[in-house]
Structures are given as structure tokens and as C-alpha cells.
Amino acid sequence: MENQATITVRNTPERHRYEILDGDAIIGKAHYLPHDGNKGRERIFYHTTVSEDYAGQGLAARLVQEALDDTLAAGIAVVPVCPYVKVWLRKHPDYQPLMTPVHPEHLTAVENAAR
């Protein structure tokens, strides 16, 4: 089991992702797409992973919470396309009113980015 003191989360905007690290090693990622929505800037969160070596330690939840908190603090709306982010939000209803509903243009943006 990892030492929680060595676990940090950082935004890596040039790669459009938040990373969770154990020391200097990247152990998980929450990928997002910047998007200009009808009401302003948005981040479409579309994929979250954590290394299997760190499974069951709540690190995906920590990664998602810190990513969403940072995004909202920056005044950027969160669009939850990622299945894990959707599940996390169901468990944290206080965040749900802060989320932007997923629309077809969000899914199209994710599909286009994957090409």
C-alpha cells in the first residue's frame, strides 16, 4: 500500500488531463477536452484510469474530486462523459447541480478527438 503523503494530483493542461502521482510516478489520469459551450468554457471529462497496482485505495475518487474542484474553482464548467465520473457524481449529490448536462455536441467532440 502506498504512503498517502506521497500521493499528489496535478493538472497537465498541455496534455488535457489531471494526473495522480506517487512521488514522481504517474499512477492515474483523468482525461478531459477543453470545449467552448453555449454558456462559456467547459471541460469534458471522458476517461479516468488508475494503475491496477493501486486499485482499491480510493485514488480514482481522489483524482476525480480534485480535478472537479480545480476545474470549478477556475470557473470552468464540468461535463461528465466518463462513466467513472458519472458514478462518482451519483455518490456526491452536492456536486450534481454544478455539472453541465451532456449534449450531443460533447459526444461529437470526444469522438473527433479520438480520431
Side-chain angles (χ1 to χ4, degrees), residues 7-105:
I7 302 297
T8 57
V9 175
R10 70 178 177 204
N11 185 10
T12 310
E14 66 277 8
R15 293 188 174 170
H16 304 296
R17 69 186 189 199
Y18 283 83
E19 299 169 340
I20 190 163
L21 301 101
D22 183 357
D24 293 331
I26 298 169
I27 59 171
K29 302 169 192 154
H31 297 268
Y32 64 83
L33 287 175
H35 187 260
D36 290 323
N38 293 336
K39 297 180 182 177
R41 296 183 310 152
E42 300 174 335
R43 280 190 185 145
I44 305 169
F45 283 87
Y46 66 92
H47 186 63
T48 303
T49 59
V50 172
S51 169
E52 288 185 25
D53 294 341
Y54 291 82
Q57 299 177 34
L59 297 177
R62 179 173 170 183
L63 172 59
V64 167
Q65 182 170 2
E66 290 193 33
L68 298 185
D69 286 348
D70 185 63
T71 298
L72 294 168
I76 302 170
V78 171
V79 182
V81 171
C82 170
Y84 183 83
V85 173
K86 288 179 183 181
V87 168
W88 188 90
L89 286 167
R90 277 197 289 275
K91 295 177 181 177
H92 298 86
D94 49 318
Y95 280 78
Q96 290 174 7
L98 306 172
M99 300 299 107
T100 297
V102 177
H103 294 291
E105 67 262 19

